[in-house]
Amino acid sequence: MLVLITYDVNTETAAGKKRLRQVAKQCVNYGTRVQNSVFECEMDAAKCREVKAVLEEIIDTEKDSLRFYYLGNNYKNKVEHIEVRESLDMKGVLLM
């Protein structure tokens, strides 16, 4: 299924800046950055629970927030993409 992970980390302190870097680094391990604090992740339910647990360990729930949007398996008809860059085919071959 496609899961959209978004986060907002308070960066007013050095600890907050560190948390922001840690959250972004972990999200890169699970999906593709589509905006500064937004990742599209193709994963099953077990992997989703894993990333959620990892991110919950990093954030400060008093100052930061995480959001998980579960778009399911038929996400292609639920996502509209308007920008210069082509949309990433999550199941296709990735060549760089």
Side-chain angles (χ1 to χ4, degrees):
M1 73 177 145
L2 182 67
V3 179
L4 196 67
I5 301 175
T6 68
Y7 55 87
D8 187 20
V9 177
N10 183 312
T11 58
E12 293 176 352
T13 65
K17 291 175 184 174
K18 181 179 179 181
R19 288 192 312 276
L20 177 66
R21 288 189 302 274
Q22 290 174 329
V23 168
K25 186 176 180 181
Q26 286 302 319
C27 286
V28 166
N29 292 332
Y30 294 95
T32 302
R33 183 189 300 263
V34 293
Q35 291 187 358
N36 286 336
S37 297
V38 180
F39 284 79
E40 289 180 349
C41 306
E42 176 93 19
M43 59 180 71
D44 59 22
K47 188 61 76 173
C48 190
R49 285 190 299 274
E50 176 185 314
V51 69
K52 187 175 176 186
V54 167
L55 295 176
E56 285 178 342
E57 287 293 317
I58 297 170
I59 68 161
D60 179 343
T61 57
E62 302 280 321
K63 300 174 183 172
D64 308 329
S65 68
L66 283 171
R67 287 181 181 247
F68 293 81
Y69 297 90
Y70 305 99
L71 299 178
N73 293 322
N74 298 319
Y75 61 87
K76 288 190 181 207
N77 60 358
K78 296 178 184 176
V79 176
E80 184 175 351
H81 179 86
I82 302 170
E83 80 174 76
V84 177
R85 190 172 67 179
E86 288 282 327
S87 218
L88 181 64
D89 179 3
M90 301 295 283
K91 294 190 181 203
V93 177
L94 180 63
L95 299 174
M96 294 185 168

